[in-house]
Amino acid sequence: MKTLKTTRGGKAVAPVVDIFPQIAVGYHDQSRVAEEMRLLRDLGFERVYFVLCNPGYPTFSNPLLCLHPPDRAGFENHAFRSLVALGDPNFVYVHECHRHGMEAFAVLKPYEGGGGSTVPHGARLDFASMREETIGGERIGFDALLSRRPDLRVQRKPIPDYERLLAQPVTAISICFCLDEIPGIQPAREGRELAPAGFKLFVSDDNGRYVPYDGPCSISDTMERRSIADANGTPLFSTPRDCRVVTFSNLKISASARYFAILIDAGERLFTIPQSMIVLHGPEGDIPSTATAQVRAGGNGIEAKKPPEERTWGMEQMPRILKDAEQAATEFSTWGFEFDWHGSGFWGPGWQDACVYGIARGKNLWMKGTPCEAYAEVREYWSDWVQKCVEMGYDGVDIRLQNHSGMVSDYADYGYNEPLVEAYQKLHGVDILTSQADPLELMAIRGDFFTEFVVEAAEILHAAGRQLQVHLRHCHEAPRLSSDFNELGFWAMPKVWLRDWRRIVDLADEITLKDYHFNVYNHQVAAGIKEYARSKGKRVWVHCYISQGRELNEPFLRKVEADANVSGVLLYEVAHSDNNEVNFGLIEQHGPVGYNVPAATELKRLLELFGYR
């Protein structure tokens, strides 16, 4: 482990540059990259981490941050211009980093396979890129591997009688709202009478344009006691809760209608979990469906003015949850929905109080853009990428599991690819296609296959005299079935459990702990991992989230400084937006390259305070 300059408490400090967002939001040529590296060197850094552009430039969780054609009127994205100027941005950054006397570590995201966003069925695109039919339309923006082999994605467990159930006409649609206390969300409702509310039903063929349903319909609005579970079927309360159930019945909607929307003008907050409390009903039983509160939003001002069928799609912004009924009525009817965006959501099981919900026939049969590590072809593809990092000159590779391509709410139903089914059968004598699997065990088997890749990566790097670093989280030490931040089911996790995390520590030269602290550092998070790594002489890095966590401040860093098991702090991310606040990155993305002065000034003060320089 190379000696790095540290604070008085023994903490190395290094910035993290997320390459693709940098070159997409602001134009970059080699001179700009060189100036960014000079600025980081002048701050006293000796190592820089670079989140690499994945092969194929897959779509991130923000659709704006992917490859778009240059000079699109009404849309600003500098990726193409930057790529033409740079050639290979991953190489230019390591080259300039070394030229300025700093180590360069590549952050690889093996699970960043793209496919996070969709466009309506048959939509016009700028690129004739690979398009995969799915709920919500056609999935786009895959990486170089999945563009060739979409069958290598993580598969959903087969649903019995899926096609038969899916082909039913819709006879009713119900939505359930919890009126009892929801911890951290709402207190128990004092009055149980039903307040007047407007509920309207819409339909769509392509999830682009929605029109009011004009067929037969009866609407009931009742109070019921209901058991409530999340999208994975996990009960959320020990007893049934008081609920308000709104049902559209006596419907006559043919099997050809694929999409529905419920617009709510209630004048009050009504909480539901779309993924488990909204149901399509048919004459033979419930119809497999997926519901969401996420409405697509335009990213190109000119294209947004066109009707959906004439619009060029693929330049959308991040979808939004709308709380105003008038705005919702205007937007969803010509933009449609993103289904299972961010899985169940940022926190917990996915409670929402939106003004409009989209409902699609069917389920995601694949984990969007997450490649399955159980296939040898996938691990070979990843290992080849590690070898390319060696050849580009990176001093080390930091392997990160977190990504933007595994956004599903019912994550316990995924991981049923043939090699995973076979491995489960071999280990436990259970056919999980016909019997219930233990979701954690299935995640662990996936983790065992991922560990095979880590072994290969360690061999490649160590043979070349380079270092291996691996991201871990508290959930690897203490896993639980949850979609909360830092848990295995969190939307940005690939739903993989590295249960043999001690072996990962043994294989690695250094460890990154990718837990979020949200400005309240807790030294007990991942304590076992930190203690074991320290006992093995491995440097442990934790994140200071400059933008996401507002953690560039003295109280937060003092708590990190006091953690004897931590020996490094990663400043994530370096770039800053238009907002000229301290906690928005160090280097300007727009205009002439330079410091975000408030952030850089505060960082210099903190580095001096803690004895770094």
Side-chain angles (χ1 to χ4, degrees), residues 39-191:
L39 292 173
L40 295 178
R41 182 203 63 197
D42 288 350
L43 286 169
F45 296 125
E46 298 178 319
R47 178 188 293 182
V48 184
Y49 286 78
F50 298 97
V51 182
L52 298 193
C53 303
N54 282 40
Y57 302 95
T59 303
F60 282 25
S61 59
N62 185 339
L64 289 173
L65 295 180
C66 62
L67 203 57
H68 294 284
D71 302 321
R72 286 291 304 179
F75 180 75
E76 184 178 29
N77 180 287
H78 299 278
F80 249 113
R81 292 180 60 226
S82 298
L83 289 172
V84 170
L86 296 172
D88 183 348
N90 294 336
F91 173 75
V92 174
Y93 269 99
V94 65
H95 174 71
E96 290 298 333
C97 185
H98 283 161
R99 276 215 316 168
H100 286 82
M102 298 178 290
E103 280 189 316
F105 270 51
V107 180
L108 263 60
K109 296 189 289 183
Y111 288 109
E112 192 74 84
S117 61
T118 61
V119 296
H121 299 274
R124 179 184 303 168
L125 292 174
D126 270 312
F127 284 139
S129 59
M130 196 269 286
R131 307 153 67 127
E132 276 288 299
E133 280 283 326
T134 186
I135 60 166
E138 295 171 336
R139 201 167 295 291
I140 59 173
F142 291 101
D143 73 352
L145 174 65
L146 297 181
S147 292
R148 294 184 292 105
R149 295 288 307 279
D151 58 301
L152 295 178
R153 289 175 291 167
V154 178
Q155 292 180 14
R156 184 191 186 88
K157 183 177 183 177
I159 300 172
D161 294 327
Y162 181 70
E163 296 298 335
R164 180 182 64 82
L165 293 172
L166 203 63
Q168 298 177 87
V170 175
T171 56
I173 302 174
S174 62
I175 179 169
C176 177
F177 304 99
C178 182
L179 302 181
D180 275 341
E181 179 184 5
I182 307 171
I185 303 292
Q186 73 164 8
R189 301 282 288 275
E190 293 183 4

Side-chain angles (χ1 to χ4, degrees), residues 10 72 92 103 142 160 169 206 293 372 401 416 447 478 536 572 581:
R72 286 291 304 179
V92 174
E103 280 189 316
F142 291 101
D206 64 356
C372 180
L401 277 77
Y416 286 80
K536 296 292 183 177
Y572 191 89
E581 295 181 20

Side-chain angles (χ1 to χ4, degrees), residues 589-600:
Q589 286 181 298
H590 301 279
V593 64
Y595 288 131
N596 170 18
V597 175

Side-chain angles (χ1 to χ4, degrees), residues 228-270:
I228 296 176
D230 66 12
N232 293 288
T234 303
L236 300 181
F237 305 101
S238 58
T239 59
R241 304 281 99 175
D242 283 344
C243 294
R244 178 178 184 176
V245 181
V246 177
T247 303
F248 297 82
S249 58
N250 300 320
L251 303 176
K252 289 187 177 180
I253 303 177
S254 71
S256 62
R258 289 185 280 187
Y259 299 100
F260 313 88
I262 296 175
L263 181 66
I264 305 169
D265 188 1
E268 59 180 324
R269 302 184 73 184
L270 296 172

Side-chain angles (χ1 to χ4, degrees), residues 268-309:
E268 59 180 324
R269 302 184 73 184
L270 296 172
F271 286 92
T272 187
I273 300 176
Q275 297 88 350
S276 60
M277 297 172 69
I278 300 178
V279 182
L280 292 182
H281 305 276
E284 299 178 55
D286 292 348
I287 300 172
S289 62
T290 305
T292 183
Q294 299 279 359
V295 178
R296 292 193 189 110
N300 182 310
I302 292 176
E303 296 298 322
K305 297 176 182 178
K306 299 177 182 178
E309 57 273 12

Side-chain angles (χ1 to χ4, degrees), residues 528-542:
I529 296 174
K530 289 186 288 190
E531 290 169 4
Y532 182 77
R534 184 187 185 193
S535 74
K536 296 292 183 177
K538 310 293 177 80
R539 181 184 284 126
V540 175
W541 298 81
V542 297

